[in-house]
Each structure stands twice: as structure tokens, then as C-alpha cells.
């Protein structure tokens, strides 16, 4: 066992505060990482405040981790001391079910083990990246090839990046396609960057007209204010694919009406309460599809990191000290960040 320090929530209503705990000893297949940066995901807030009614306390959130390898087990072949490595949303799975065999560990039939909050179907708690170090099986550690001066902005790729990359790949987004992105937040801004790099004509949908300039800077070709009926009507039946990143309940029907026949809108935002049920007629008359997507498997996450390194894609971030995490949560609820908070874990030394 080794000592670790971090920030934890001990119940749904208490602010996150310093917390000391233990990591397991480095086993034959393990990689130990000193955490340099950890992104702040809306899932962290949902979990810390038990908004999904499944939190194991104490909860040390954080699953957008970039750090430096400090120890490796005797059987580890892919990493050495000094390497820069990443850890995303999972640290284990059953490794034997059909999904795991297909490299889709995120859909493990027996439940993947989250980087924090333990296995999906119940089990021992796990502690995430709001801490100084972590020990992870090599199979769930990612190689980071971005330049070191970009490492803080790489951290959100481990969740926001793969959450948007995976559906864009699954629905084969590429040149010549018209692709919509709903929402310009932590997920949406990554979707715009990645879809643009894939060669698509990207249209950003937002309720905020003042986000137009930023959306165009990030790679959108057009911006539509979704509350403007005329702007929406101009795009009826024209999209090959729409990625909806909004994590708040809203009417899906206006966006479904923008899809071509046989086209798909995929949801990646996870609201605390359900969306209103869409009209079945909007689906059946054009054979449209409404789908969902989680993160990506480990192989696809590595593919995403390599793609982003090749295309110089990182997240737009605001760096914070760990002591400001509770304020960051409140600002995140107000969408007062462009577009992802990242914790400088060096700040833990003064916690």
C-alpha cells in the first residue's frame, strides 16, 4: 500500500475537502502515475452530490487524468518510468464478455470499474484523479504523445474527447457530411473541433447568440440559434448526423426534424432528469434514429488521443488549484467556464 492525498466528498451536501487514503501496492501488471493534471467533468459534480443516487462515499472524483509514470510492475511492457500517461473513465472490466472481447469495455456486460465510484453493478469503492497519484492496470493506461506544454489541455480528452469522438467514429462522420452539434460546453466544444478535423461541415446549435464567434473559432462552419424558429426551419431534413451534448432536459423534436431520412441524432449528455419523450411521428416518417453513446473502449480512446495529437487538438481550459474545486462546481452549474476546468495537482502540496 502507498499513501495518497486528495480531495473528497463525504456526503452529498458537504463541500469537497482534503482527504488522505491508500492506493494498492504496484502489482506485476500495474502502472503508478504521479498525477499532474485532472480535468473536471460534470459527472464529478453529479457523483459528489449523489445526483444519480449511486455514490459511494467518501468520493474522490476525477477521470480525466494526465501524469508521469513513477513505477511499473515486472510484467508491464508498454510503459516505463518517466513516460507521460493518461487514465480515463475506466480502470478495469471483466475482460471476457462479448463487449470486452470486441474492445468495447465501456459496455462490459458485467459492468466496467469506474476510475472513481467503483464497479457499475456494485463493489469496492475506487478513488479518482483529484489526488496526487494513482495505480492502474496497464491495460487501462493510455499513451500521451502531445507536447508537454499542452498536457493540462490534454486531460479533458480522456472523457470529453472520447465521449464525442466515439459516436462521430461510430456513425462514420467524414468529408461531405453535414453534422450538427447541439450545445457549446465541455463536450460540445470538443465535438466541434473533432468533427471539423474529420472533414465535416459542422453546424453548432446554441441557445446563446453570443457564442457564435467562439463556435466559428473552434471550427464550426455555421451557427444556429436554436430558439429562432426561422433559423431552425432553414435546416429541415438536411443533416447526416447530429450529436447532442446538452446535459439538461430539453425538447428533442426540433432537432430530430433536421435529420435527413435514415439519419441519426445521438445523445451523449446525461441530464439528472429525463428529456421529454419525443414524438414518434418525427421518427417513423423519415426512418430517423435516436441513439445514445457512452465513452469509448481503451483502443478507441488511444486512437482518439493519437488523432488529436496529429491534428493539434486539445481542450480549451481554465486552470484552477484544487482549493478552488467547490467554486468551480458552482461556476460549472452556471456554464461559467470556457470550456473545461483542469486542476493543477501541484496545488495539492499547499492543501
Amino acid at each position: 500500500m502507498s499513501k495518497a492525498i486528495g480531495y473528497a466528498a463525504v456526503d452529498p451536501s458537504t463541500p469537497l475537502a482534503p482527504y488522505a487514503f491508500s492506493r494498492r501496492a504496484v502489482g506485476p501488471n500495474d502502472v503508478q502515475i504521479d498525477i499532474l493534471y485532472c480535468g473536471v467533468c460534470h459527472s464529478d459534480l453529479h457523483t459528489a452530490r449523489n445526483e444519480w443516487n449511486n455514490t459511494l462515499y467518501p468520493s474522490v472524483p476525477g477521470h480525466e487524468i494526465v501524469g508521469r509514470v513513477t513505477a511499473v510492475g515486472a510484467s508491464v511492457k508498454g510503459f516505463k518510468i518517466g513516460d507521460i500517461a493518461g487514465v480515463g473513465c475506466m480502470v478495469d472490466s471483466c475482460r471476457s464478455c462479448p463487449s470486452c472481447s470486441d474492445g468495447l469495455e465501456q459496455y462490459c456486460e458485467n459492468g466496467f470499474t469506474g476510475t472513481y465510484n467503483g464497479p457499475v453493478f456494485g463493489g469496492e469503492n475506487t478513488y479518482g484523479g483529484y489526488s496526487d497519484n494513482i495505480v492502474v492496470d496497464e491495460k487501462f493506461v493510455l499513451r500521451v504523445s502531445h507536447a508537454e506544454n499542452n498536457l493540462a489541455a490534454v486531460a479533458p480528452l480522456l472523457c470529453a474527447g472520447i465521449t464525442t469522438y466515439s459516436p462521430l467514429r461510430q456513425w462514420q462522420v467524414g468529408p461531405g457530411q453535414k453534422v450538427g452539434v447541439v450545445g457549446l460546453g465541455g463536450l460540445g466544444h470538443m465535438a466541434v473541433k473533432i468533427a471539423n478535423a474529420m472533414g465535416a461541415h459542422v453546424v453548432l446549435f446554441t441557445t446563446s447568440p453570443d457564442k457564435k464567434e467562439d463556435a466559428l473559432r473552434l471550427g464550426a462552419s455555421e451557427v444556429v440559434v436554436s430558439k429562432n424558429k426561422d433559423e431552425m426551419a432553414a435546416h429541415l431534413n438536411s443533416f447526416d448526423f447530429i450529436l447532442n451534448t446538452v446535459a439538461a432536459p430539453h425538447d428533442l423534436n426540433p432537432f430530430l426534424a433536421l435529420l435527413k431520412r435514415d439519419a441519426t441524432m445521438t445523445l451523449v449528455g446525461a441530464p439528472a432528469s429525463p428529456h421529454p419523450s419525443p414524438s414518434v411521428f418525427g421518427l417513423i416518417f423519415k426512418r430517423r434514429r435516436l441513439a445514445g453513446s457512452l465513452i469509448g473502449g481503451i483502443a478507441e480512446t488511444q486512437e482518439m488521443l493519437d488523432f488529436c495529437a496529429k491534428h493539434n487538438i486539445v481542450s480549451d481550459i481554465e486552470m484552477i488549484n484544487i482549493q478552488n474545486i467547490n467554486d468551480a462546481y458552482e461556476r460549472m452549474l452556471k456554464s461559467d467556464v470556457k470550456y473545461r476546468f483542469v486542476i493543477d495537482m501541484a496545488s495539492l502540496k499547499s492543501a
Side-chain angles (χ1 to χ4, degrees), residues 23 25 29 45-46 52 71 99 130 186 197 253 258 324 338:
R23 297 287 190 188
N29 300 305
L45 187 154
H46 285 309
W52 290 333
S99 290
Y130 293 10
N253 289 308
L258 305 181
N324 302 122
K338 289 187 175 180

Side-chain angles (χ1 to χ4, degrees), residues 217-245:
R217 174 185 64 83
L218 293 165
S221 299
E222 300 180 57
V223 178
V224 172
V225 178
S226 56
K227 294 187 290 188
N228 186 312
K229 292 183 179 180
D230 291 336
E231 289 188 28
M232 293 289 282
H235 291 274
L236 290 172
N237 305 311
S238 67
F239 281 86
D240 297 287
F241 181 72
I242 295 176
L243 186 62
N244 191 323
T245 72

Side-chain angles (χ1 to χ4, degrees), residues 189 192-193 212-220 316 338-339:
H189 95 287
V192 169
K193 290 186 178 190
K212 180 175 182 178
E213 184 177 338
D214 229 17
L216 296 173
R217 174 185 64 83
L218 293 165
D316 283 27
K338 289 187 175 180
Y339 282 94

Side-chain angles (χ1 to χ4, degrees), residues 112-305:
F112 70 80
T113 298
T115 304
Y116 62 86
N117 209 46
V120 171
F121 297 136
E124 187 177 351
N125 201 0
T126 52
Y127 300 123
Y130 293 10
S131 58
D132 60 347
N133 75 86
I134 193 167
V135 178
V136 180
D137 189 290
E138 176 185 20
K139 290 185 180 296
F140 288 81
V141 180
L142 289 309
R143 299 182 305 278
V144 176
S145 56
H146 285 74
E148 289 211 19
N149 63 345
N150 279 330
L151 293 183
V154 168
L157 301 183
L158 276 303
C159 177
I162 187 57
T163 297
T164 51
Y165 181 89
S166 186
L168 291 170
R169 284 282 281 118
Q170 172 65 26
W171 277 274
Q172 300 178 347
V173 164
Q177 289 191 320
K178 184 178 178 182
V179 172
V181 174
V182 184
L184 192 67
L187 293 178
H189 95 287
M190 290 307 312
V192 169
K193 290 186 178 190
I194 292 170
N196 175 64
M198 289 175 169
H201 177 93
V202 182
V203 180
L204 186 280
F205 294 95
T206 178
T207 58
S208 305
D210 59 357
K211 289 189 175 181
K212 180 175 182 178
E213 184 177 338
D214 229 17
L216 296 173
R217 174 185 64 83
L218 293 165
S221 299
E222 300 180 57
V223 178
V224 172
V225 178
S226 56
K227 294 187 290 188
N228 186 312
K229 292 183 179 180
D230 291 336
E231 289 188 28
M232 293 289 282
H235 291 274
L236 290 172
N237 305 311
S238 67
F239 281 86
D240 297 287
F241 181 72
I242 295 176
L243 186 62
N244 191 323
T245 72
V246 175
H250 62 282
D251 186 2
L252 303 177
N253 289 308
F255 300 104
L256 290 170
L258 305 181
L259 294 171
K260 293 178 178 177
R261 172 180 52 81
D262 290 329
T264 301
M265 178 165 74
T266 298
L267 308 179
V268 291
S273 57
H275 297 295
S277 181
S279 167
V280 68
F281 293 104
L283 297 170
I284 63 177
F285 273 95
K286 290 288 184 180
R287 204 162 57 190
R288 297 176 176 124
R289 295 155 185 157
L290 179 62
S293 180
L294 194 56
I295 47 175
I298 297 302
E300 189 174 55
T301 304
Q302 187 64 62
E303 177 186 297
M304 177 276 304
L305 283 172

